[in-house]
Amino acid sequence: MDKIEKLLISNKNVFTTQDLSVIWGISEKAKIWEIAKYYFRKNKLNRIYRGIYSINKKYSPLELAQKLQPLSYISLHTALSIHGINFQYYSSNYSISLISKKYLISKVEYSYHQVKDFIFFNKIGLVDKGSYLLADKERAICDTLYIWPSMNIDRIDNINKDKLLETAQIYKNKRLIDDIKLLIKKIK
């Protein structure tokens, strides 16, 4: 089985050089870079960003978001849109991370917003989608109101009130908890 076949059976489309090292069983960094460059020149790998490759040009922006900043999860506007809670269109992909950072790749912005360690490492409301972590509805609402207190939440009718209040507690932020309590009063 050649190296590209090994990538194909991994059920992933976006790979860091570390991923390639594990899948191909090669520990030497120089050798990994050399092989990746070879497959890039042969049009079997696409270079997305420094040290990040894909098998084909159609890759998931959510999968890429996780690879750009491994200690992150998809949340904020992106998660709210996925869950059908907010209807505004945002061309950027938003994530929560331990650092604030932005990337522009193929005319798409990947925006990471920093939260405190104890919030980030709390797994309440995080769903493992295989190649990325996604905030559930309640966690995405709490993240959004934590980062942008005046943000409007468009659709709140299918939110679990108890789970929303429980999730808000992990932030240890009185203003956020009060905002969530006001939001819960609006839920039918």
Side-chain angles (χ1 to χ4, degrees), residues 2 6 9 14 39 66 70 88 95 98 117 127 135 142-143 147 149-150 154 165:
D2 79 353
K6 286 181 180 180
I9 63 170
V14 180
Y39 283 120
Q66 189 80 52
Q88 298 93 341
S95 296
L98 293 173
D117 291 12
V127 181
C142 289
D143 284 340
I147 302 285
S150 60
D154 295 340
L165 189 56

Side-chain angles (χ1 to χ4, degrees), residues 12-29:
K12 293 182 181 177
N13 192 27
V14 180
F15 304 92
T16 62
T17 51
Q18 293 91 345
D19 296 332
L20 297 176
S21 176
V22 170
I23 293 168
W24 292 339
I26 301 170
S27 59
E28 300 169 43
K29 285 184 182 182

Side-chain angles (χ1 to χ4, degrees), residues 83-106:
H83 296 305
I85 294 170
N86 274 9
F87 304 116
Q88 298 93 341
Y89 172 74
Y90 294 94
S91 59
S92 298
N93 286 289
Y94 291 90
S95 296
I96 294 293
S97 181
L98 293 173
I99 60 168
S100 293
K101 191 165 180 139
K102 290 184 181 182
Y103 298 88
L104 185 63
I105 298 170
S106 300

Side-chain angles (χ1 to χ4, degrees), residues 62 73-75 79 82-83 125-129 132-136:
L62 303 179
Y73 61 89
I74 310 300
S75 189
I82 289 169
H83 296 305
L126 296 182
V127 181
D128 187 348
K129 294 292 191 175
Y132 59 90
L133 286 174
L134 176 67
D136 67 9

Side-chain angles (χ1 to χ4, degrees), residues 124-182:
I124 290 176
L126 296 182
V127 181
D128 187 348
K129 294 292 191 175
S131 55
Y132 59 90
L133 286 174
L134 176 67
D136 67 9
K137 294 180 271 193
E138 294 78 13
R139 179 76 178 246
I141 289 171
C142 289
D143 284 340
T144 302
L145 294 177
Y146 180 75
I147 302 285
W148 300 299
S150 60
M151 182 74 183
N152 286 327
I153 305 298
D154 295 340
R155 187 171 168 230
I156 56 174
D157 56 337
N158 63 348
I159 304 300
N160 180 324
K161 296 183 230 180
D162 295 330
K163 188 173 180 186
L164 183 61
L165 189 56
E166 176 190 338
T167 303
Q169 302 297 324
I170 69 172
Y171 295 80
K172 299 178 185 171
N173 182 294
K174 185 177 177 349
R175 189 236 356 119
L176 174 65
I177 293 169
D178 291 343
D179 288 350
I180 293 299
K181 285 178 181 175
L182 285 173

